[in-house]
Amino acid sequence: MTTADTTRPATATRRLRRPKGMTAHVLLVLAVLISVFPFVWTIVMATNTTEDIYKSPPKLTFGSHLVENIRHVLDTIDFFGSMLNTIVVACVTTVLVLFIDSLAAFAFAKFDFPGRKVLFGTLLVFMMLPLQLAVLPQFILMSEIGWVGMLKALALPALANAFGIFWLHQYIQNGVPDELLDAARIDGAGFFRQYWNIALPMIKPALSFLAIYAFVNAWNDYVWPLIVLTDPSHVTLQVELAQLHVGHTTDYSMVMAGVLMAALPLVVVFAVFARGFIAGATEGAVQGS
């Protein structure tokens, strides 16, 4: 068999793969454009006036009214005060969720104790229930301990996140070798030292994803803060932004400017934690290949 005969099948295979690769790239580009369009449309509305938004067809180009709309937002609501409250709640909630959920997931994944399967099954059942069912019991509990109207009433119900425990449990079960834990036990390491020195460094990608998930949930939460925060000086950003809709006519350009300002911290958080998540996922793929 000549060299030309052996290269023909490889060349034909590459020609067949090329259209498939082009189709995949086109689909990915379309998916990115569809995902980015709502954010771009928010910027367009925030930089124009409400009259421009109501035009038919609507204006699709950026305007020059962003500073004016931002000034209206700051004059109408206490934006930075409510943002500070939200930052405190979201950061505290995220840190506590990462610690408590990873601790519980490590115990479920790597330790055998009485009732483990029943408890984990109960956890899965609670994960399927809608969060609205817990609003009334949570409010009664906060009222009994005197936390109604306080920011700490927002952090406590979010600590034991069922999805976070399940997510980390699956990651730890497959990503933390039992041999390392057995070796640590032989060296005299207890439960917490195994968790802190062995498990946590190995699950950084999963923790990065959970940090994004917990922070975004705490940042965007509206119903529970609206119910439990009775002090106007302690309201969170989402509750404060809702005040922009008060009245018979809504200035949608001002509302979109407030939404845009509220979304910027989420972009920063995603940029910080997504780097660790993607790096860890890529490292695992390279090691497994």
Side-chain angles (χ1 to χ4, degrees), residues 63-281:
S64 58
H65 298 273
L66 179 61
V67 176
E68 179 184 349
N69 292 330
I70 291 176
R71 188 181 300 114
H72 288 166
V73 172
L74 299 180
D75 292 340
T76 306
I77 61 174
D78 183 14
F79 182 85
F80 291 110
S82 60
M83 174 177 275
L84 179 61
N85 294 335
T86 309
I87 290 175
V88 171
V89 171
C91 290
V92 171
T93 300
T94 301
V95 172
L96 293 178
V97 164
L98 291 178
F99 175 69
I100 293 178
D101 286 13
S102 61
L103 199 63
F106 179 63
F108 275 122
K110 294 300 179 181
F111 288 85
D112 191 12
F113 53 87
R116 184 186 62 154
K117 293 183 178 180
V118 174
L119 289 175
F120 192 71
T122 305
L123 178 74
L124 297 180
V125 171
F126 278 111
M127 188 174 66
M128 301 174 189
L129 296 177
L131 298 177
Q132 290 77 6
L133 291 179
V135 170
L136 182 58
Q138 285 177 183
F139 185 83
I140 295 175
L141 177 62
M142 295 300 110
S143 178
E144 291 293 331
I145 61 180
W147 284 10
V148 173
M150 301 181 183
L151 291 177
K152 53 188 176 182
L154 302 181
L156 183 63
L159 296 187
N161 187 290
F163 169 77
I165 297 175
F166 173 75
W167 161 255
L168 292 177
H169 169 270
Q170 300 303 109
Y171 199 96
I172 292 172
Q173 197 171 37
N174 300 318
V176 179
D178 293 332
E179 293 79 9
L180 286 179
L181 299 178
D182 292 337
R185 294 189 192 100
I186 294 174
D187 291 338
F191 170 82
F192 192 80
R193 189 175 177 185
Q194 294 175 48
Y195 158 78
W196 189 262
N197 295 107
I198 298 177
L200 281 189
M202 301 185 71
I203 61 171
K204 286 182 179 179
L207 291 175
S208 297
F209 171 80
L210 184 59
I212 297 173
Y213 176 83
F215 190 92
V216 170
N217 276 354
W219 187 273
N220 290 332
D221 193 10
Y222 172 72
V223 175
W224 178 237
L226 178 66
I227 293 173
V228 77
L229 295 179
T230 56
D231 188 347
S233 63
H234 287 166
V235 296
T236 56
L237 188 55
Q238 303 304 325
V239 177
E240 194 72 12
L241 286 176
Q243 304 303 316
L244 297 176
H245 293 277
V246 176
H248 297 287
T249 59
T250 301
D251 187 351
Y252 286 104
S253 60
M254 178 181 65
V255 173
M256 289 300 105
V259 171
L260 181 62
M261 295 166 64
L264 291 179
L266 296 181
V267 176
V268 174
V269 169
F270 180 81
V272 171
F273 287 100
R275 182 181 303 177
F277 175 68
I278 295 173

